[in-house]
Amino acid sequence: MSLQQPAIFCNMVFDWPARHWNAKYLSEVLHGKQIRFRMGMKSMSTVPQFETTCSYVEATLEEFLTWNCDQSSISGPFRDYDHSKFWAYADYKYFVSLFEDKTDIFQDVKWSDFGFPGRNGQESTLWIGSLGAHTPCHLDSYGCNLVFQVQGRKRWHLFPPEDTPFLYPTRIPYEESSVFSKINVVNPDLKRFPQFQKAQRHMVTLSPGQVLFVPRHWWHYVESIDPVTVSINSWIELEEDHLARVEEAITRMLVCALKTAENPQNTRAWLNPTEVEETSHAVNCCYLNAAVSAFFDRCRTSKVVEIQAPRTDGERMKKEELNVYSHMEVGQTGSQNLTTGTGKPEAASPFGPDLVPVAQRSEEPPSERGSIFGSDGKDFVDKDGEHFGKLHCAKRQQIMNSEKAIKEQIASNATTAPSQTFISTDDLLDCLVNPQVTRIVAQLLIQGRSL
């Protein structure tokens, strides 16, 4: 957990039963089960191919494999998608819903080997894609990420947290826990996004049997470079997530309020297809209060909250300590350090033959899609996607499906500590229209208009 850069574990899963989970095996295990595939174009553009612009197909893995061999029937679910022009991606498939009647299979994945006792497939997601399938460049608001490559290879483009200004972040399309980049990082429009040239791209081709560790807030764009790819991942929770959930709740409220007011009939244009929860203002208020209450509950036994001051000039400003509660402490929100705010010095380098750091790539990435698909991956480091918040989807759905219960809980909390657990719309607006905040927003708006 002290690693501050992406790294590849090369010898950790040789005894995992899940190492045999290729697409053919999974098609037999999931025989007849309908899975949702995201369909995207193989053609390259300078505009990211967000999930809101893709179409979707319900099909079995058998039908996917048949289509992927270019033997699709004209009557099959993929009949409208020419295999030479489209890719398919079954992404974000949670084990708990995918293998709901086969829970024994959870034990085939052993994240406990990485120092997380009891963690297995129950806290994991499955990704199955064809050549060209990819996730747009984004960072995950919560946690860090472990990714096990089972079949085929995936190319990862990674950028450190301090490069965020150069990635032109956006919350549209909106999805809790995902901050997207406006840039197609494999074919960037440098005239529109000139600051991207300053970004420090790290690249790796992740091969079967390897596990990639993605630290907190590292940007990543992931693409399948083999005919069929299968990956398994798990998002690992961190202490910093408690404060991040409050920030995400604020973002949810603002985005939903502004976008639904703009066009209440067209939520699909801005709401990511993976974000399926209610977006009413009342529900979002409850969600924000639940996040704040959970934050205080978690932090009561700690001492200090460290809040990193906003950066107006692109440089990290001095942290300001804020005594929000008598016994509270969280880590720096913008730090790359994955320790729990202990401030201990870094240990000796852990890298060696079985743990390889992901190297930075200095030259420009290929701009033509053909050069990326045509590569066998050997020109990249060969020793190596969209959401810790999603890990708690069941928990969040339970909250959203019981708005009345939440309100009652908030009212009960407010009886004992109203100033700490209840956040009204006016409280939020007081913060949003604070002169310091509006100054930063004005600067960002001006910068955006001058692109």
Side-chain angles (χ1 to χ4, degrees):
M1 297 302 285
S2 63
L3 286 173
Q4 297 184 32
Q5 71 180 95
I8 306 93
F9 291 88
C10 302
N11 193 27
M12 289 289 288
V13 297
F14 61 89
D15 60 344
W16 287 21
R19 72 190 186 281
H20 300 303
W21 282 21
N22 57 35
K24 186 174 182 354
Y25 168 79
L26 289 171
S27 69
E28 295 169 357
V29 172
L30 298 170
H31 180 69
K33 187 176 182 68
Q34 294 283 306
I35 299 174
R36 194 185 194 203
F37 288 85
R38 177 160 57 97
M39 308 301 296
M41 295 289 294
K42 287 184 176 180
S43 60
M44 177 49 57
S45 166
T46 57
V47 179
Q49 199 165 167
F50 291 121
E51 293 169 54
T52 49
T53 63
C54 294
S55 49
Y56 293 83
V57 165
E58 297 284 339
T60 64
L61 274 180
E62 293 95 332
E63 291 168 329
F64 162 74
L65 291 172
T66 299
W67 170 80
N68 201 43
C69 293
D70 207 12
Q71 300 172 359
S72 55
S73 166
I74 194 169
S75 60
F78 295 97
R79 60 185 176 276
D80 296 328
Y81 300 94
D82 185 334
H83 179 263
S84 66
K85 297 178 180 178
F86 288 87
W87 48 258
Y89 208 5
D91 49 4
Y92 305 110
K93 304 308 177 194
Y94 293 92
F95 278 37
V96 289
S97 56
L98 196 62
F99 302 110
E100 52 191 349
D101 56 343
K102 301 178 178 67
T103 55
D104 289 347
I105 208 168
F106 294 167
Q107 306 305 319
D108 288 6
V109 180
K110 304 178 180 180
W111 298 117
S112 55
D113 288 351
F114 286 84
F116 303 105
R119 198 178 198 93
N120 55 36
Q122 187 168 3
E123 297 86 16
S124 304
T125 57
L126 184 69
W127 310 67
I128 303 172
S130 65
L131 179 67
H134 66 271
T135 54
C137 188
H138 68 283
L139 68 79
D140 300 319
S141 302
Y142 309 137
C144 56
N145 197 359
L146 283 170
V147 186
F148 168 32
Q149 192 63 29
V150 180
Q151 178 181 2
R153 294 165 302 155
K154 281 185 173 179
R155 184 169 298 143
W156 285 71
H157 304 245
L158 300 120
F159 303 88
E162 62 265 26
D163 282 358
T164 294
F166 310 142
L167 272 297
Y168 298 84
T170 180
R171 296 313 300 262
I172 304 297
Y174 173 74
E175 173 186 307
E176 186 189 353
S177 82
S178 293
V179 182
F180 291 101
S181 170
K182 296 179 183 178
I183 304 169
N184 183 346
V185 298
V186 296
N187 189 25
D189 184 346
L190 296 179
K191 290 183 178 179
R192 187 180 177 196
F193 305 112
Q195 294 296 309
F196 179 63
Q197 297 177 86
K198 300 178 182 179
Q200 308 165 74
R201 185 192 302 261
H202 295 242
M203 295 184 69
V204 70
T205 298
L206 195 65
S207 299
Q210 297 175 341
V211 175
L212 174 65
F213 171 71
V214 182
R216 183 175 189 259
H217 284 181
W218 272 72
W219 293 84
H220 46 284
Y221 173 103
V222 190
E223 55 183 342
S224 298
I225 60 173
D226 279 330
V228 179
T229 60
V230 177
S231 306
I232 298 170
N233 90 295
S234 187
W235 288 286
I236 310 299
E237 57 271 18
L238 297 170
E239 281 297 320
E240 294 90 338
D241 296 339
H242 299 289
L243 182 59
R245 268 189 280 278
V246 177
E247 296 170 356
E248 285 295 290
I250 292 172
T251 302
R252 168 187 286 273
M253 181 180 289
L254 289 174
V255 172
C256 294
L258 291 172
K259 297 303 293 183
T260 53
E262 178 183 72
N263 190 346
Q265 306 303 321
N266 194 22
T267 57
R268 290 294 96 187
W270 59 270
L271 192 65
N272 220 38
T274 53
E275 191 68 27
V276 296
E277 294 161 351
E278 294 292 335
T279 59
S280 72
H281 187 69
V283 169
N284 289 335
C285 283
C286 292
Y287 188 47
L288 173 59
N289 279 278
V292 172
S293 296
F295 174 81
F296 277 98
D297 288 343
R298 174 66 181 177
C299 299
R300 289 182 195 280
T301 58
S302 300
K303 296 177 181 178
V304 177
V305 170
E306 293 181 346
I307 301 293
Q308 183 175 305
R311 290 178 288 176
T312 58
D313 57 355
E315 296 296 329
R316 182 167 297 174
M317 299 175 65
K318 182 180 179 181
K319 287 183 300 176
E320 296 178 354
E321 289 189 353
L322 178 63
N323 291 310
V324 178
Y325 195 73
S326 58
H327 301 288
M328 299 171 60
E329 178 177 315
V330 295
Q332 302 173 31
T333 59
S335 172
Q336 294 180 64
N337 192 341
L338 294 185
T339 60
T340 56
T342 59
K344 294 181 180 178
E346 229 182 303
S349 174
F351 300 115
D354 293 324
L355 179 61
V356 183
V358 176
Q360 183 177 340
R361 185 176 176 88
S362 57
E363 61 265 37
E364 289 295 317
S367 58
E368 296 297 326
R369 173 51 50 180
S371 64
I372 292 180
F373 284 164
S375 169
D376 62 1
K378 294 180 181 178
D379 54 330
F380 300 98
V381 179
D382 204 19
K383 287 192 177 182
D384 333 280
E386 334 179 311
H387 305 54
F388 171 71
K390 292 183 172 60
L391 187 63
H392 291 278
C393 59
K395 205 175 289 184
R396 282 193 291 133
Q397 287 171 356
Q398 186 177 9
I399 290 175
M400 294 304 178
N401 292 336
S402 185
E403 180 181 344
K404 180 179 178 181
I406 294 175
K407 287 183 176 179
E408 290 174 353
Q409 180 180 359
I410 291 171
S412 175
N413 290 340
T415 303
T416 57
S419 63
Q420 295 166 2
T421 58
F422 183 77
I423 305 296
S424 68
T425 303
D426 286 346
D427 292 330
L428 179 57
L429 287 174
D430 284 343
C431 297
L432 292 175
V433 299
N434 181 288
Q436 296 179 29
V437 176
T438 54
R439 187 179 306 118
I440 295 172
V441 172
Q443 289 175 349
L444 293 174
L445 284 174
I446 291 169
Q447 290 173 12
R449 296 296 294 178
S450 63
L451 292 176

